[in-house]
Every structure is written in C-alpha cells, then in structure tokens.
Amino acid sequence: MFVKNAWYCAGWDHELSQGKTAVLSRRIAGESVVLYRKLDGAVVALEDRCPHRQAALSLGRKEGDSLRCMYHGMKFGPDGQCNEIPGQTTIPERACVRAFPVVEKDNWIWVWMGDAVKADPALICFSVGPGDAGWNIKTSQVHVKTNYRLEIANLMDLTHIAWVHDATFGGTREYELVRPRMTMRPRGIDSDIWLRNVPVTRFAQHLFPPDMRFDLHFDVQFSVPCNFVLHFKVYVAGTATEGPSDGQLVLDSYSCQAVTPCDADSVQYYYSWGASRATDSPGLSDLLKEAIDAAFLEDKLTLEAQHRNISEKPDFKTIDIVHDAGPGKMLWLLDKMLKEEAAAEKRAIPIAATV
C-alpha cells in the first residue's frame, strides 16, 4: 500500500519546539511515530510503541536526549535503545524501539520509513520553505479522510480547478483544455502548463479591471510518495503563443505541498504558498494563504465524499476520460515502485528448509 523507501513529511519544523513537553505523535504510512528534539536541537523519530506493553511513547516525557515511557518508566535513547528500567538492573536485548532516519530541510521534517541504509537525503524533494529569505512563504495544514491515491489523482489533474475550485482558483473554463507537457523521472513527474490570455484566478479578480487578461504558468514537480511543488507565475497577457510569456510579470510564487498518508483512510496535508519578495506587496502573500486554505477545504469536501463512495462500492466499474492521463502516469509510477519493493522484500526472505 505504501512505498517504504521514501521520505515522508512529518510536519513543519516550528511544530516541534525545545519545550519540556514538546513531543509529537504522528501516523505515517501506517506506522505510529513519535518525534522530539534532543538538547542540540536535532530531531529524533522513534516508533511510538514501548516494547513492554505497547504503551504510546508520545504520552511520555523528555529527559535530556532520551524519552521516558510514563507507563512503567522505561527510558529510551535517541537510537531507540532502552537505557533504564526502573526496579531492574539488567536490560533485555530486545528492550528497544525502532529509530527512523530523520532530516530537517526547507522547514519541513522528513522521516524515512524504509531500510535505514537506503535513507539518502538527496531523495528529499526540492521545496521553498518560509525560512528562504527570497520568498514570503505562509504555511498551513489540513487533515483529510481519504486515501492518498485519490490525493495523487487530484493533484495530477489541474482540470478539476474549473469545477471544484470555481470560487477560488478558477475563473475560466480554459482549465478543461489543459494538456501538460510531462517529463517522467525515476521517482516523479515534472509538468509544464500554460494558460494564455485568461482572466486572473477568481480570488484575485477584485484587484484588477474586469476585462484584464493574463498568462498563467504552472511549473510542477511531483515526487513519490505524494509531494507537489508548484512554481506559479502570473503575467499580464502578452502576444507570445509558445514558450515564455512576453507580458509583464506580476506574481512569482511557490506553493510547496506534502501529502503524508496516515493510513488507508486518511492523510495529513502540509502545504504553503507565498510570493517572491520581488513581486510581493503588503497583504498579498496573506491573500494567497487565505485562498489556498479555502481551496483545500473544497478539495477536502470532494475527496472525502469520493472516498466514502469508493469504500461503499470498491468493485464499482468507473470510466476513464481524457483528464485521467496525468493521474494515470503518476499512479503507474507509484505501483511500479510498490511492486519493486515487494519483489525485493520477497527475495530477502529466506526459504524455510523442507524435510
């Protein structure tokens, strides 16, 4: 169901302070994970499960660089090894919890859920975080009760903007005609999309004369498991019909989005949007955040209802339409990686000797 050898977003760095009780509980790709900071500020990610009676370590407390389970007091170091059992001098070899590789990058916390030996930080997707001085990035998040494959299909299909987001990101039916230029990568897809001579997006139409037209450029990097990084530019409509717009640039922005599957039925969606300092103005990036918050609630309503319907009739025969090309390519890539991991795991399992 989930690719394990991948970096999953566990949240924004500001969510995890050095506070005495600053312990985060996360559900990532079907696993319970607890996160906290050591004294030097580095993040620790452990399985949120005491090996004694499976108590949640996220209900415990920080002690130096360690985390103490508050059921029977067992204490675990950042490597997952138990270093104290109250009332007992010997510590069993199996008194340990799994420690996950963890990296902070671009103000996101990333956790590797697979083989620790394969945890290459270079596989973390590119993004622009709120700490980047060249951009005024605003962050947010939302919990959605849907399967992450539906989120993938949603994000790989900008044509739905004309309908789901008519009141926010929409404003033109030109999205119906979008045919992205796609480039396949080993762990993702890049998409390049132009909408030319169209009204500005609905949420910003009050800022311009009613008849003003624009060229919109969507440069998207989509990567496994479900990371969507959009470089979005708006130009005053020019005369060019191919290649870059020759109109005046009025907005240069980034929206970086990480969808983390909690389990088969829900995701935690961490996202941002903000303008470059060169094209920002007082209140503009705040408007972008307001717009994306509203739009993702529109997606939430749509995807949760879709997930309920699929759960009710999982064998229902759906039809395919032209707008399924992008989602189909990304889901094909995801399934390819899932099959490769399953095959590798099968090869690694020793065959039991037969008598």
Side-chain angles (χ1 to χ4, degrees):
M1 178 175 291
F2 305 113
V3 172
K4 292 297 184 180
N5 288 320
W7 293 99
Y8 286 83
C9 183
W12 297 103
D13 57 0
H14 66 76
E15 297 181 82
L16 195 58
S17 76
Q18 279 279 27
K20 182 178 180 180
T21 59
V23 177
L24 284 182
S25 174
R26 291 289 192 255
R27 186 80 174 157
I28 303 175
E31 301 277 356
S32 295
V33 179
V34 57
L35 301 106
Y36 66 95
R37 290 191 184 276
K38 297 192 298 183
L39 295 176
D40 64 3
V43 178
V44 175
L46 303 176
E47 183 175 4
D48 192 8
R49 191 186 313 275
C50 180
H52 175 218
R53 291 188 183 170
Q54 298 198 60
L57 295 179
S58 56
L59 297 177
R61 71 184 182 202
K62 294 166 57 177
E63 294 186 10
D65 285 349
S66 297
L67 187 63
R68 188 181 294 277
C69 177
M70 293 304 289
Y71 194 7
H72 293 91
M74 293 175 66
K75 189 172 68 169
F76 300 89
D79 59 355
Q81 294 295 319
C82 179
N83 52 39
E84 182 185 344
I85 302 177
Q88 181 174 325
T89 56
T90 59
I91 299 177
E93 183 179 343
R94 292 178 55 243
C96 61
V97 296
R98 182 182 178 186
F100 299 91
V102 58
V103 171
E104 288 187 82
K105 182 175 181 288
D106 303 318
N107 301 107
W108 267 334
I109 299 172
W110 297 94
V111 178
W112 181 267
M113 301 303 296
D115 182 351
V117 175
K118 299 178 180 179
D120 182 0
L123 295 177
I124 298 174
C125 71
F126 161 82
S127 65
V128 177
D132 193 309
W135 304 83
N136 186 10
I137 302 295
K138 306 293 184 178
T139 67
S140 195
Q141 60 181 282
V142 65
H143 187 75
V144 186
K145 295 178 182 178
T146 193
N147 186 278
Y148 81 113
R149 295 176 69 93
L150 299 183
E151 286 281 7
I152 290 175
N154 176 272
L155 287 168
M156 284 298 296
D157 167 29
L158 291 186
T159 67
H160 80 276
I161 290 176
W163 309 104
V164 175
H165 302 304
D166 180 59
T168 52
F169 292 163
T172 175
R173 288 185 59 174
E174 290 296 315
Y175 286 102
E176 300 173 31
L177 306 178
V178 164
R179 300 293 184 271
R181 186 173 74 244
M182 297 186 188
T183 303
M184 299 286 290
R185 294 182 284 104
R187 299 175 72 92
I189 297 176
D190 295 338
S191 297
D192 189 77
I193 300 165
W194 279 94
L195 267 65
R196 301 180 191 270
N197 195 31
V198 298
V200 75
T201 48
R202 188 83 73 190
F203 72 85
Q205 287 181 356
H206 65 285
L207 300 176
F208 302 97
D211 58 347
M212 196 165 181
R213 310 289 280 188
F214 298 86
D215 295 334
L216 312 181
H217 185 216
F218 303 79
D219 179 6
V220 178
Q221 297 179 35
F222 199 112
S223 58
V224 172
C226 191
N227 306 313
F228 178 96
V229 177
L230 167 64
H231 192 184
F232 178 64
K233 294 182 179 180
V234 179
Y235 302 81
V236 174
T239 59
T241 57
E242 296 289 339
S245 173
D246 56 1
Q248 178 188 356
L249 177 67
V250 293
L251 175 66
D252 187 6
S253 71
Y254 264 105
S255 176
C256 301
Q257 306 168 26
V259 179
T260 299
C262 304
D263 48 39
D265 299 304
S266 66
V267 304
Q268 193 69 20
Y269 199 156
Y270 306 98
Y271 60 90
S272 66
W273 199 6
S276 68
R277 298 293 180 183
T279 61
D280 198 19
S281 59
L284 177 58
S285 289
D286 296 303
L287 172 63
L288 298 182
K289 180 188 182 299
E290 291 169 0
I292 201 170
D293 281 342
F296 284 179
L297 290 180
E298 293 168 341
D299 276 328
K300 174 181 169 71
L301 184 66
T302 299
L303 294 173
E304 288 186 344
Q306 182 187 14
H307 183 61
R308 286 194 300 270
N309 282 349
I310 292 173
S311 298
E312 289 173 4
K313 292 189 177 182
D315 298 324
F316 183 85
K317 299 300 181 183
T318 59
I319 63 168
D320 294 329
I321 61 175
V322 66
H323 305 314
D324 297 325
K329 289 180 188 298
M330 193 62 212
L331 290 171
W332 174 86
L333 179 60
L334 176 70
D335 288 335
K336 176 175 178 288
M337 294 178 67
L338 286 167
K339 290 176 183 177
E340 289 172 350
E341 279 198 0
E345 185 175 334
K346 186 176 181 180
R347 288 193 299 270
I349 298 175
I351 301 175
T354 58
V355 179

